[in-house]
Amino acid sequence: AQSVAQPEDQVNVAEGNPLTVKCTYSVSGNPYLFWYVQYPNRGLQFLLKYITGDNLVKGSYGFEAEFNKSQTSFHLKKPSALVSDSALYFCAVRDGDDYKLSFGAGTTVTVRA
Amino acid sequence: DAMVIQNPRYQVTQFGKPVTLSCSQTLNHNVMYWYQQKSSQAPKLLFHYYDKDFNNEADTPDNFQSRRPNTSFCFLDIRSPGLGDAAMYLCATSVGTVGHYEQYFGPGTRLTVT
């Protein structure tokens, strides 16, 4: 079975400050990890994914994520947050060849000007 | 631009009145998915098509049906909507179902049941 935990329902940061959104996962096989962002009344937008190789993954809009196998984590980061980054962020995992994508509960990010 | 399109964006239906939601894609992806999302919760997978092969999730109510007449189009039919079916319905596509294939989502259709 596969699962994802996003321990923070909300993250609040000031514009220009670093942003981190936490994600931990549980799989029995090899994990494939994804981050998506959702703006109000919109679908999910793909940000980045980890497949294998380099533990630091760079994605869209200046976001990056660090895969840590020993801590089973895949935290999303942005060095300098923008007000426009305010949205709902979902971490998701797929276990090896399982077709199903398991989503975390989501973290609402608010960036204040 | 290649994309996933959902129509309509907002749909209002009456309790018990059948409704159909539409999804089309220009990505030429093999797989199309339908998700239900309530109140900013995680999306819940209802079913997916791999080409013409239909795969239903075990906990998807019989009230929900789907059709995929060709590669580009997929429809979600709700035969007798209840108040509990009010939600955002998301269509997604991917090249394949396994491993590293990410899913691309449409903008969603917000369904209101009166």
Side-chain angles (χ1 to χ4, degrees):
Chain A
Q2 60 195 32
S3 65
V4 172
Q6 293 182 241
E8 299 163 316
D9 292 336
Q10 291 197 353
V11 170
N12 299 303
V13 297
E15 188 172 35
N17 281 1
L19 169 63
T20 298
V21 187
K22 295 180 180 177
C23 171
T24 59
Y25 66 90
S26 174
V27 298
S28 54
N30 293 322
Y32 297 98
L33 294 150
F34 306 83
W35 274 102
Y36 288 86
V37 60
Q38 185 176 32
Y39 297 97
N41 289 312
R42 304 292 296 179
L44 278 66
Q45 292 181 32
F46 170 72
L47 283 177
L48 50 78
K49 66 181 178 183
Y50 172 81
I51 305 170
T52 186
D54 196 347
N55 290 342
L56 185 63
V57 179
K58 294 189 181 296
S60 306
Y61 313 119
F63 284 94
E64 58 189 28
E66 187 167 10
F67 172 70
N68 187 315
K69 187 173 182 178
S70 62
Q71 297 185 4
T72 61
S73 67
F74 189 56
H75 301 331
L76 182 69
K77 299 180 181 183
K78 187 170 185 180
S80 179
L82 301 172
V83 172
S84 57
D85 294 327
S86 299
L88 179 59
Y89 290 79
F90 289 102
C91 181
V93 67
R94 182 183 282 124
D95 186 349
D97 289 339
D98 191 339
Y99 73 90
K100 201 164 185 176
L101 196 58
S102 295
F103 288 90
T107 298
T108 298
V109 171
T110 302
V111 182
R112 60 185 184 278
Chain B
D1 288 341
M3 56 197 317
V4 181
I5 302 160
Q6 290 187 246
N7 286 305
R9 294 293 316 281
Y10 299 90
Q11 176 74 58
V12 180
T13 191
Q14 293 178 336
F15 183 94
K17 185 174 181 181
V19 66
T20 294
L21 308 183
S22 168
C23 177
S24 64
Q25 55 132 341
T26 61
L27 296 162
N28 203 33
H29 283 172
N30 298 320
V31 191
M32 296 187 77
Y33 307 80
W34 279 105
Y35 288 87
Q36 181 192 64
Q37 186 183 29
K38 294 186 175 183
S39 303
S40 298
Q41 297 175 15
K44 178 181 181 296
L45 182 64
L46 297 173
F47 25 61
H48 75 277
Y49 274 95
Y50 194 121
D51 293 328
K52 287 193 174 292
D53 292 333
F54 178 70
N55 298 271
N56 198 29
E57 292 302 296
D59 57 353
T60 298
D62 293 339
N63 200 24
F64 291 84
Q65 304 286 318
S66 186
R67 297 170 283 136
R68 188 179 186 186
N70 54 52
T71 300
S72 301
F73 285 87
C74 196
F75 300 97
L76 170 62
D77 300 309
I78 308 177
R79 293 193 296 188
S80 181
L83 297 179
D85 296 327
M88 174 77 89
Y89 290 88
L90 298 168
C91 175
T93 73
S94 65
V95 171
T97 54
V98 298
H100 62 280
Y101 293 117
E102 64 269 25
Q103 295 179 15
Y104 293 90
F105 286 79
T109 294
R110 183 165 295 283
L111 179 68
T112 300
V113 182
T114 61

